[in-house]
Amino acid sequence: MTTHAEPTRPSALFVCVHNAGRSQMAAGLLTHLSGGAVEVRSAGSMPADQINPVAVEAMSELGIDIRDQQPKVLTTEAVQASDVVITMGCGDVCPVFPGKRYEDWALADPAGQGIEAVRPIRDEIRERVLRLLDELGVEPRTS
């Protein structure tokens, strides 16, 4: 019996301070738009107790449910296991490894903001996620 090696899925890690808003929205969008073609992780340098309910609401407007996500602490293992590490205002706390691709997405923090302020942040994240998919050679889902 011959076994074929599975093609390696590209992987991305989104990091922000609390892992409750920006990184969770980015992870939800990448998971949805890639249709599972990209392995997605998110974490925070100082994770919050729960995900931002306004971020959950903003994502539900797009038909993406991130209610079940929990803020997670950033680990060295998560960084090492990811091809692309995208930071969102976590400063210098993200460990840097040679050979990894790093991007910093300067985005407003949705913490404490109402839905009107969070929608444009969500929409900017969506545009950046679509660009990332293009760079990874992954065709985004249209539905």
Side-chain angles (χ1 to χ4, degrees):
M1 185 168 131
T2 314
T3 57
H4 296 284
E6 287 291 314
T8 314
R9 287 191 304 165
S11 58
L13 168 65
F14 296 101
V15 183
C16 66
V17 176
H18 300 300
N19 190 219
R22 293 167 289 191
S23 55
Q24 293 284 4
M25 287 192 289
L29 280 159
L30 184 56
T31 299
H32 177 77
L33 292 170
S34 75
V38 178
E39 189 177 346
V40 182
R41 299 177 182 86
S42 72
S45 53
M46 296 174 15
D49 294 333
Q50 64 179 32
I51 192 165
N52 180 339
V54 182
V56 172
E57 182 183 351
M59 293 298 289
S60 71
E61 291 178 350
L62 299 180
I64 301 171
D65 186 359
I66 60 170
R67 280 178 304 186
D68 62 344
Q69 297 303 307
Q70 289 295 318
K72 296 169 280 306
V73 69
L74 176 64
T75 64
T76 301
E77 293 75 26
V79 175
Q80 288 177 313
S82 302
D83 299 316
V84 182
V85 179
I86 297 165
T87 57
M88 303 170 172
C90 71
D92 298 329
V93 298
C94 190
V96 176
F97 293 96
K100 293 281 174 214
R101 175 178 159 194
Y102 290 88
E103 285 186 29
D104 186 56
W105 290 1
L107 297 161
D109 190 346
Q113 305 280 351
I115 190 71
E116 296 298 327
V118 174
R119 283 185 188 121
I121 299 168
R122 174 203 63 201
D123 294 344
E124 184 177 348
I125 291 170
R126 184 178 186 280
E127 290 307 310
R128 290 175 186 239
V129 164
L130 286 168
R131 264 197 313 273
L132 178 64
L133 282 170
D134 184 56
E135 292 165 2
L136 294 173
V138 174
E139 192 68 35
R141 285 185 2 182
T142 52
S143 59

